[in-house]
Amino acid sequence: MKMAHARRVAGVLVSTIGFTGALVAQAEAHSHVSPSVVQKGHSETFTVVVPTEGTADTASVEVTVPAGFQIGSFEAAPGWKRSVKATGQGDEAVVSKVTWTGGKVPEGEAAYLRFQGEATKSGDYAFKVRQTYSDGKVADWTGAASSDTPAPIVTVKDSLGGGGSSTSSSNTLAVIALVVGILALLIGLAGMARRGGRSLT
């Protein structure tokens, strides 16, 4: 019975690792905005992540800002030039589109472009991303969540249950620790099997 239970546990652990790996692969393959879940009315630093897929470099990234989402400032991005389309001026300016050009992000790497922003109403905000490669190829990340080219979504909630950014960081560390522990356990089980398949009982 103990051996059967151990096998079931190992199966669950393997499935968990596979599921986690699938999520990581999906995140790397698609353009996305992080953090993806925030509290309304709270200013956050967001990162637009745009992976390069193909032999040409990513040379330009254009982001259309969803209505109701306010960008306050941008973080300097060495190697990139930034142009902003907005209505109004100063603190009253409403950014509707921002374009970064002049980059040179090769295959296997990603562009990381940051800004500070917030939304005062809860809901899902879709950031339409247009990625242009040095060979002229264009990738439009503007589709539905179920499509091959989904637009990055930021979900704004009324409350995060008192968690906020610190809870998000703690959860991330907890997940990392869990995955490391799972990998260590599986490596140990594999080592025991190689040494003769001795019983776990």
Side-chain angles (χ1 to χ4, degrees):
M1 293 293 291
K2 291 183 179 180
M3 177 62 75
H5 178 69
R7 288 174 178 170
R8 285 196 298 271
V9 171
V12 171
L13 294 178
V14 170
S15 298
T16 301
I17 290 177
F19 178 69
T20 302
L23 290 180
V24 171
Q26 183 181 28
E28 291 178 345
H30 294 162
S31 172
H32 61 282
V33 176
S34 178
S36 59
V37 180
V38 297
Q39 186 174 350
K40 73 176 184 180
H42 285 241
S43 181
E44 298 277 357
T45 297
F46 294 87
T47 303
V48 181
V49 183
V50 185
T52 298
E53 299 174 318
T55 57
D57 298 333
T58 294
S60 173
V61 175
E62 176 188 282
V63 177
T64 299
V65 183
F69 195 95
Q70 179 69 36
I71 292 182
S73 62
F74 295 92
E75 184 175 312
W80 295 90
K81 295 180 180 179
R82 184 181 66 249
S83 62
V84 177
K85 180 179 179 181
T87 56
Q89 296 181 351
D91 294 338
E92 301 301 321
V94 177
V95 177
S96 59
K97 183 176 294 185
V98 55
T99 305
W100 288 269
T101 58
K104 191 176 181 181
V105 182
E107 180 182 10
E109 297 184 15
Y112 293 86
L113 305 165
R114 297 180 174 87
F115 60 86
Q116 187 177 44
E118 65 179 279
T120 57
K121 293 183 179 180
S122 58
D124 290 337
Y125 292 79
F127 288 78
K128 295 183 178 180
V129 177
R130 183 178 177 86
Q131 175 185 14
T132 303
Y133 289 88
S134 56
D135 62 359
K137 177 185 175 182
V138 174
D140 283 320
W141 302 97
T142 58
S146 59
S147 69
D148 292 333
T149 55
I153 299 292
V154 171
T155 299
V156 178
K157 295 188 174 184
D158 291 333
S159 172
L160 296 180
S165 299
S166 60
T167 297
S168 177
S169 299
S170 298
N171 289 342
T172 300
L173 292 174
V175 170
I176 293 174
L178 175 62
V179 171
V180 170
I182 289 172
L183 290 173
L185 176 59
L186 291 177
I187 291 172
L189 291 173
M192 290 181 64
R194 286 195 297 270
R195 289 194 298 270
R198 290 177 294 180
S199 173
L200 296 177
T201 58

